[in-house]
Amino acid sequence: MVIAKQTPEMNRRTFLAGTAGTTLVMGLGVVLPGCSNEDAAGDLAAAGASKRFSPAVWFEISGTGAVLINIAKAEMGQHVGTALARIIADELGADWDTVSIKHVDSDPKWGYMVTGGSWSVVTSFTMLSQAGAAGRTILIEAGAKILGVEPAACRAENGNIIAGDQQVSFARIVAEGDTSRIISDEELAAMPVKAAADRNLIGKATRALDIPEKSRGVAVYGLDTELPDMVYAHPMIPPTRYGSTIRTVDDSAARDIPGYQQTLQISDPSDVIQGWALVIADDFPAAMKAADAVEIDWTPGPTASVTEAHILAEGEKLTEDPASGTLFVDEGDVAAARENAADMLTATYRTSTALHFTLEPQNALVEYVDGIFHIHSGNQWQSLILPYLASALGVEESNIVIHQYYLGGGYGRRLFGDQMIPAALAARELGRPVKLVFQRAEDSRFDCARSASVAKFDASYDADGALTGIEHAAAAGWPTLAMAPGFMGDGVDGNGKFDPFASNGSDHWYTLPNHRVRVINNDLAQRTFLPGWLRSVGPGWMGWGVESFMDEVAAKAGEDPIQYRLALLDAAGKNAGSAPNSVGGAARLANVLRDVAERSGWGKEMPEGEGLGVAVSHGQERANPTWTACVAHVAIDAETQVVTVKKLWQSIDCGTVVHPDGAMAQAEGAMLWGVSLALFESTEFVDGQVKDLNLNTYTPLRMSDVPELDIKFIESTEFPMGLGEPPLIAVPPAIGNAVFAASGIRARDLPIRI
Amino acid sequence: MNESLTIEVRLNGSPCSLEVAVHHTLLDVLRDEIGLTGTKECCVVGECGACTVHLGGQAARSCMTPVSAVAGQSVTTIEGLDTEAGEALQNAWVSEQVPQCGYCQSGQIMTAAGLLADNPNPSDDDITNAMDGNLCRCMAYPRIRKAIKSAANGGGA
């Protein structure tokens, strides 16, 4: 399972606490091989840090009692720092008004650094809780001594240790108390983490810590940074992602542009950046002007004529070839069900290429100083790009620091910091800081676009008309194969590997008599562009097929779509779920489905040309399910056939909700992304590149397209699951199913055009 | 090509003498030369609104404004927004918890401040018409609308 790879050190954790000067430093992490806990603790006491200790969790209490929590996650609008800080602060008994957060730069001490997959709270909750509880335990022991009472008589609340009518502040404990500690893995696991009923911060209303800056124009993004003596670099992108080479560069027309310096050809030993040049200038307008004037002649790579139609045709061919791909799901005997079938239902679903279109264009400012590459660029997956950078630059990862900033949009684009490579190469070559900025057209052309997909479904029926099995074959470009091949999974048939982020979602929680999923890499897509992880990744486009087809199956059975689904969500066998992540299994999905049915008035008579449609989702992966059910109300204009979404209801069970308002904001935003991908935005490959480069033709949802939203979170104390992406998934198929209800027309392509 | 000129502007309330290259946009000058980075660069064709400032009190897309065109005018950026409507909006942005990634929000606030200056009590349609040119890729639209209404109603305290 992918998540295990994030925290390989989980089995050797230690909690250290020590006072450095006037600050009490606490960390949960790994003491490095060959070092003793005592050495690491000694370092902490001396310097407040230790090269012998790699903390995943790290916070400090100052001499005033204020708590600073280091956050190794990227802030891209999900207010992750606030959520993670609430978990620690709750356990610690801190005064929330004194809590601040700091998003850290990359450093080996932080362990594996990634922000994505809707994983941050899921993967951090336990260790943050244990670290907070460990910190509280230490403060109570030290506070008890100061008060002259037993620790058992004490509690931590609002920055104080309290025993009866006595109390001592965190500040005084930091100054006077005995707080140096080494706590082993076993002791940590036994830490008295709070019961849900005792929580003061988790699940309670608060304001996100990043919002004030963002409301006053003072939040700093990577694009905003400057360094003295820096030059600007404008990327010159070749006709194809791969295999293009520069034949000639003619900058004669650029030479009399004031500020133009030179055009630098980029040679990248890691081979991520192929066929590039950088136009270098004193300022960005000069770089833009010069980029227009510089003529570069490329020998195009082999995919210079590839179109969207080619990619989709390849996908269709692959889904129809039973020998292609690898098995992701193989339950029962689908082959036998097909052989004995008296009837079949077949449908093929397709999704278009989609762009990330982060409003902050990709950028990197790199300074090479004293053998260290300082890279200033908001990024979601430092641990992914560091090895590529090390390979490109021919240095150790320890020679590279990625300085973190607020991200002006992540959505998965900033999981791959590929633009850092040419900026760093140029910075070293020029001996000056290089600020590489993409213009919008280049940003779109260089996007790791969501691949177009083709998914074919075949349902078999016996002579009595009973469903006997579903076979599902899905082909797309695979992001993980391109960027993080170490995270690929092994097919259940032992035949090849699959990309989990292009397969998840097909392994739904319905109990089917026989079920097989074959996932196939669209090799033409893979060779033409770099397929990307785009908000909700695999489930986002898999869900379109799975939930639209489930609707078709229900229709064939002559049954109500919700009743039909409920019967299959029987939580039997593997769908029973397990602790801690999926307690209740499919029963929780059935629960949100019943909830949304009731709230939406499902079954009521709808006006002519209007309809309700339903879809469910289990979030990003079976191992970390967020249970959602969505009903869409659409209206179709009789003349123009334009589909308008009037209202969306979604019921969401993500277990414990750490930061309720942040959760609601993510649900709102993700649902509107779902509407946007369903109806408003798409592009296509033409001549090996995406066609729609700017907002004149690439048209994400605007304020005027926003439907009414009615979102409900199920009250729960189950383990917290993710929210950045899951609320998106059920929206497009709910809309498509509503279109069917309204018009009898079955949409099989996304975006929906009828 | 290398023609530069000196222009006088009133920038965030203070008189300011700028020596600028004639082909630069107001956005370029604000961000790269003066260092006021609260105004954002995004589409550079006037379609997203992230670059919105006030020119003579009216919302304007600075990416589409040649810097020469602002000579003798007053320019207000997010950093200098100090109208009553502007303050109310910024407070409402916090109380309604509007921003997600936040990159579009300076432009959203500046456009909204322009709306409220002309129309202190906008209807839902007025809000949509005024704000539709401001793209929010995180899709925080419901809260943007709610915060504008709150500020208009004397909320945002």
Side-chain angles (χ1 to χ4, degrees):
Chain A
M1 179 56 236
V2 174
I3 289 183
K5 296 189 194 200
Q6 284 185 84
T7 53
E9 326 89 288
M10 280 294 277
N11 57 347
R12 278 185 39 236
R13 301 168 313 155
T14 307
F15 185 89
L16 298 179
T19 307
T22 56
T23 302
L24 172 57
V25 174
M26 299 194 184
L28 169 65
V30 173
V31 174
L32 299 180
C35 305
S36 73
N37 291 345
E38 289 70 24
D39 287 339
D43 290 349
L44 230 64
S50 174
K51 287 204 184 309
R52 304 189 240 226
F53 182 54
S54 175
V57 182
W58 187 259
F59 52 99
E60 302 173 7
I61 306 179
S62 76
T64 65
V67 180
L68 169 66
I69 299 171
N70 290 290
I71 303 291
K73 299 298 182 188
E75 175 54 58
M76 48 185 164
Q78 82 287 41
H79 314 310
V80 62
T82 299
L84 300 186
R86 295 287 274 181
I87 299 167
I88 295 186
D90 202 334
E91 289 295 338
L92 206 55
D95 175 1
W96 179 253
D97 289 341
T98 72
V99 171
S100 63
I101 58 174
K102 179 179 170 207
H103 289 273
V104 299
D105 299 333
S106 70
D107 189 300
K109 78 181 184 195
W110 300 116
Y112 202 83
M113 296 180 81
V114 62
T115 313
S118 303
W119 286 331
S120 291
V121 171
V122 181
T123 59
S124 310
F125 191 80
T126 299
M127 65 181 173
L128 291 170
S129 301
Q130 288 176 345
R136 178 180 82 243
T137 302
I138 290 167
L139 291 165
I140 284 178
E141 282 172 10
K145 272 206 195 106
I146 292 175
L147 293 175
V149 298
E150 289 301 307
C154 298
R155 69 182 194 283
E157 194 178 296
N158 238 19
N160 293 296
I161 300 302
I162 302 171
D165 56 7
Q166 296 188 84
Q167 67 183 49
V168 56
S169 68
F170 283 11
R172 190 170 159 207
I173 293 169
V174 168
E176 299 175 18
D178 165 25
T179 49
S180 296
R181 259 335 156 271
I182 298 169
I183 295 178
S184 74
D185 202 16
E186 294 79 27
E187 292 170 290
L188 253 177
M191 275 293 146
V193 166
K194 278 185 181 181
D198 298 330
R199 290 171 181 156
N200 292 319
L201 300 178
I202 293 171
K204 307 283 191 280
T206 193
R207 289 186 168 181
L209 295 169
D210 55 305
I211 281 181
E213 286 182 287
K214 291 174 176 176
S215 302
R216 303 201 184 272
V218 297
V220 180
Y221 301 83
L223 193 69
D224 300 329
T225 59
E226 300 207 336
L227 286 171
D229 197 37
M230 75 182 192
V231 297
Y232 283 83
H234 187 299
M236 305 298 281
I237 297 181
T240 61
R241 176 95 202 194
Y242 304 113
S244 292
T245 52
I246 293 177
R247 265 205 297 259
T248 58
V249 177
D250 177 3
D251 70 348
S252 50
R255 288 204 199 117
D256 53 6
I257 294 173
Y260 169 70
Q261 294 181 17
Q262 61 172 301
T263 299
L264 209 61
Q265 291 194 38
I266 296 294
S267 172
D268 172 15
S270 80
D271 224 21
V272 170
I273 303 298
Q274 301 185 13
W276 269 44
L278 295 179
V279 164
I280 308 291
D282 293 341
D283 60 67
F284 198 59
M288 284 198 286
K289 260 190 129 54
D292 284 340
V294 169
E295 303 220 3
I296 299 186
D297 193 26
W298 282 278
T299 305
T303 56
S305 314
V306 172
T307 68
E308 191 86 354
H310 293 143
I311 291 169
L312 288 169
E314 179 70 9
E316 272 156 34
K317 189 181 113 209
L318 289 165
T319 57
E320 283 158 15
D321 174 8
S324 71
T326 190
L327 293 187
F328 181 59
V329 174
D330 197 12
E331 303 280 324
D333 190 343
V334 158
R338 281 186 82 139
E339 222 177 280
N340 299 322
D343 190 14
M344 298 286 298
L345 175 68
T346 293
T348 297
Y349 294 85
R350 308 185 312 174
T351 65
S352 301
T353 305
L355 301 178
H356 289 90
F357 214 100
T358 61
L359 294 198
E360 180 196 3
Q362 309 326 299
N363 61 84
L365 169 57
V366 184
E367 184 182 28
Y368 181 55
V369 110
D370 296 334
I372 307 288
F373 288 90
H374 290 274
I375 301 180
H376 299 265
S377 184
N379 183 263
Q380 291 177 245
W381 198 346
Q382 296 90 327
S383 296
L384 178 67
I385 201 64
L386 279 164
Y388 283 101
L389 283 162
S391 164
L393 299 166
V395 301
E396 299 295 316
E397 288 185 37
S398 53
N399 293 104
I400 306 167
V401 178
I402 299 174
H403 296 266
Q404 185 64 288
Y405 291 85
Y406 286 129
L407 278 57
Y411 326 121
R413 176 60 184 93
R414 289 184 152 98
L415 285 168
F416 198 49
D418 43 358
Q419 81 285 357
M420 298 178 185
I421 294 172
L425 287 165
R428 181 168 58 189
E429 184 165 341
L430 299 178
R432 293 173 70 174
V434 170
K435 183 172 174 121
L436 190 158
V437 180
F438 280 71
Q439 285 286 81
R440 187 49 59 180
E442 281 73 28
D443 191 273
S444 296
R445 286 167 64 205
F446 201 62
D447 192 16
C448 311
R450 178 167 96 170
S451 173
S453 72
V454 179
K456 181 166 182 284
F457 292 81
D458 294 289
S460 347
Y461 296 84
D462 66 17
D464 299 323
L467 178 71
T468 53
I470 294 184
E471 176 145 33
H472 175 186
W478 283 359
T480 313
L481 178 60
M483 292 176 280
F487 283 76
M488 300 278 285
D490 292 312
V492 301
D493 54 348
N495 175 33
K497 289 188 176 284
F498 62 84
D499 177 350
F501 304 101
S503 306
N504 287 329
S506 61
D507 52 346
H508 54 62
W509 287 75
Y510 296 114
T511 300
L512 294 179
N514 298 288
H515 184 212
R516 184 160 68 192
V517 181
R518 182 163 53 86
V519 291
I520 314 133
N521 177 238
N522 185 323
D523 53 296
L524 179 60
Q526 203 72 22
R527 284 183 280 119
T528 302
F529 63 100
L530 204 166
W533 298 291
L534 183 145
R535 191 173 193 176
S536 75
V537 300
W541 56 264
M542 279 291 188
W544 168 243
V546 169
E547 281 299 288
S548 297
F549 190 64
M550 188 52 69
D551 223 56
E552 294 204 51
V553 168
K556 184 177 170 70
E559 291 198 33
D560 172 84
I562 288 187
Q563 292 309 313
Y564 192 81
R565 284 171 169 82
L566 284 171
L568 298 180
L569 293 172
D570 60 6
K574 71 167 189 173
N575 295 322
S578 60
N581 291 11
S582 61
V583 170
R588 282 168 76 186
L589 194 49
N591 185 46
V592 289
L593 182 53
R594 277 188 295 266
D595 190 79
V596 81
E598 190 194 308
R599 296 193 305 112
S600 62
W602 182 268
K604 68 191 174 202
E605 179 116 0
M606 300 297 291
E608 182 71 29
E610 296 186 25
L612 296 180
V614 70
V616 304
S617 138
H618 66 268
Q620 295 311 116
E621 51 222 342
R622 273 188 73 99
N624 295 301
T626 295
W627 313 102
T628 86
C630 177
V631 168
H633 175 188
V634 309
I636 303 176
D637 186 286
E639 279 174 37
T640 64
Q641 299 285 76
V642 167
V643 174
T644 301
V645 181
K646 297 188 74 154
K647 186 166 179 174
L648 292 172
W649 295 260
Q650 185 147 226
S651 299
I652 301 173
D653 179 357
C654 63
T656 295
V657 180
V658 174
H659 174 202
D661 191 66
M664 182 59 81
Q666 285 308 293
E668 292 164 2
M671 287 172 71
L672 294 177
W673 262 73
V675 179
S676 193
L677 287 166
L679 293 172
F680 292 99
E681 58 176 289
S682 69
T683 185
E684 56 179 304
F685 274 87
V686 173
D687 294 337
Q689 300 244 353
V690 294
K691 173 170 119 331
D692 299 282
L693 304 182
N694 209 335
L695 294 171
N696 50 339
T697 59
Y698 194 79
T699 53
L701 184 126
R702 297 271 179 169
M703 185 185 262
S704 50
D705 307 316
V706 175
E708 195 182 333
L709 299 176
D710 188 337
I711 303 166
K712 176 180 160 186
F713 283 86
I714 304 294
E715 293 256 345
S716 171
T717 54
E718 295 295 347
F719 201 77
M721 289 294 125
L723 279 174
E725 301 164 284
L728 188 161
I729 301 163
V731 173
I735 294 173
N737 294 338
V739 166
F740 180 72
S743 68
I745 299 170
R746 174 59 66 185
R748 297 224 174 92
D749 289 351
L750 207 71
I752 295 166
R753 305 262 181 267
I754 57 166
Chain B
M1 259 317 111
N2 55 338
E3 198 187 321
S4 71
L5 69 157
T6 305
I7 57 171
E8 308 296 325
V9 299
R10 191 164 190 81
L11 177 59
N12 290 335
S14 298
C16 198
S17 194
L18 299 173
E19 195 180 317
V20 293
V22 110
H23 63 280
H24 284 197
T25 64
L26 177 59
L27 180 64
D28 298 329
V29 171
L30 288 171
R31 285 182 57 81
D32 300 336
E33 291 176 39
I34 302 175
L36 289 168
T37 55
T39 307
K40 298 308 184 195
E41 187 200 312
C42 171
C43 75
V44 190
V45 291
E47 295 265 356
C48 77
C51 68
T52 306
V53 297
H54 290 172
L55 216 51
Q58 301 283 310
R61 308 296 192 217
S62 63
C63 76
M64 301 289 281
T65 306
V67 69
S68 54
V70 310
Q73 296 214 49
S74 79
V75 177
T76 310
T77 69
I78 185 74
E79 291 92 340
L81 181 65
D82 62 357
T83 61
E84 207 176 299
E87 288 282 310
L89 283 164
Q90 289 182 305
N91 290 334
W93 246 241
V94 174
S95 60
E96 297 300 333
Q97 297 280 280
V98 175
Q100 292 189 24
C101 89
Y103 196 77
C104 76
Q105 298 297 342
S106 298
Q108 302 279 357
I109 289 168
M110 296 305 281
T111 301
L115 165 67
L116 292 185
D118 286 341
N119 183 353
N121 207 11
S123 66
D124 264 316
D125 281 347
D126 292 337
I127 292 173
T128 305
N129 289 336
M131 302 303 296
D132 216 32
N134 283 74
L135 177 63
C136 176
R137 193 19 167 181
C138 296
M139 318 240 157
Y141 300 116
R143 294 182 183 218
I144 291 170
R145 179 184 295 281
K146 194 161 179 227
I148 292 172
K149 284 181 173 166
S150 171
N153 290 333

